[in-house]
Amino acid sequence: MTISIRQERPEDYRLIEKLTAQAFLNAPHSDQTEHLLVKRLRQSDAFVPELSLVAVTGDDEIVGHIMLSKISIVGSDRSTVSLALAPVSVASEQQNLGIGSQLIHSALQKAETLGYQSVIVLGHPAYYPKFGFERASLWNIRPPFDVPDAAFMAIELVKGSLEDIEGTVQYSNAFGE
């Protein structure tokens, strides 16, 4: 099956939310509200339309979605703009076919093209390192809540961009609603 990645369109919104709800339905560590997070992020200042991407089949059927949104890493003397990768969803019948990987690679590449320098993810510590993510604590970047160190990760889209950055990640209010 051939998959292509494109930016989401307003007419895709309802289908993406349905796909996201279905993809997380039986996921461990999920509160099953990721579809609502997608909707809230679209309505927030953190939303970057170019970084909300869908995976589509040759018949333009949406089988996956990823969203990167703006966050800040707040230190004692400065605040640095970064991105949060959340959520990434693949239709359950299409999982384990590499669609999630395609979405992540495309989103990271697009973010770099747009001038962003880093991305933070709270995710499975055995999955995200294959994309270059490492424990955020290596840069003294902390989550604003209690999570396992291995699950809170960062990637430099520009080599050295996190070298002098430290602080606590401040997510959009859309994450806490």
Side-chain angles (χ1 to χ4, degrees):
M1 171 183 7
T2 303
I3 298 293
S4 60
I5 308 295
R6 65 166 171 80
Q7 185 176 330
E8 72 172 11
R9 303 173 186 141
E11 61 267 24
D12 300 330
Y13 289 0
R14 286 175 37 125
L15 184 57
I16 290 167
E17 290 164 19
K18 182 178 175 183
L19 172 111
T20 303
Q22 183 259 346
F24 282 93
L25 190 60
N26 298 310
H29 311 295
S30 169
D31 62 2
Q32 282 74 46
T33 62
E34 288 81 2
H35 63 294
L36 300 175
L37 173 61
V38 168
K39 189 174 187 173
R40 289 191 308 265
L41 282 168
R42 281 194 197 110
Q43 298 166 351
S44 76
D45 291 343
F47 183 56
V48 182
E50 299 88 349
L51 296 176
S52 191
L53 306 174
V54 291
V56 295
T57 64
D59 336 344
D60 208 35
E61 176 191 359
I62 295 174
V63 294
H65 173 258
I66 190 169
M67 183 179 278
L68 301 180
S69 57
K70 289 185 272 188
I71 59 170
S72 296
I73 302 168
V74 181
S76 58
D77 61 343
R78 67 178 158 165
S79 179
T80 304
V81 174
S82 186
L83 295 168
L85 188 165
V88 58
S89 311
V90 176
S92 58
E93 65 277 4
Q94 304 292 332
Q95 291 180 2
N96 301 310
L97 299 175
I99 295 169
S101 292
Q102 283 182 263
L103 283 163
I104 293 168
H105 283 299
S106 294
L108 294 176
Q109 183 178 28
K110 183 67 174 179
E112 183 179 1
T113 301
L114 292 173
Y116 291 96
Q117 297 189 4
S118 64
V119 178
I120 304 290
V121 68
L122 172 60
H124 200 285
Y127 182 70
Y128 287 96
K130 71 181 180 181
F131 303 100
F133 283 91
E134 299 179 77
R135 289 179 296 117
S137 61
L138 295 173
W139 292 281
N140 292 314
I141 298 171
R142 300 171 298 281
F145 37 72
D146 190 30
V147 295
D149 184 58
F152 193 71
M153 295 168 270
I155 186 173
E156 292 179 317
L157 300 177
V158 175
K159 188 165 175 55
S161 62
L162 292 175
E163 235 169 68
D164 297 323
I165 306 300
E166 64 177 274
T168 302
V169 169
Q170 183 178 333
Y171 288 93
S172 160
N173 289 338
F175 278 90
E177 293 174 4

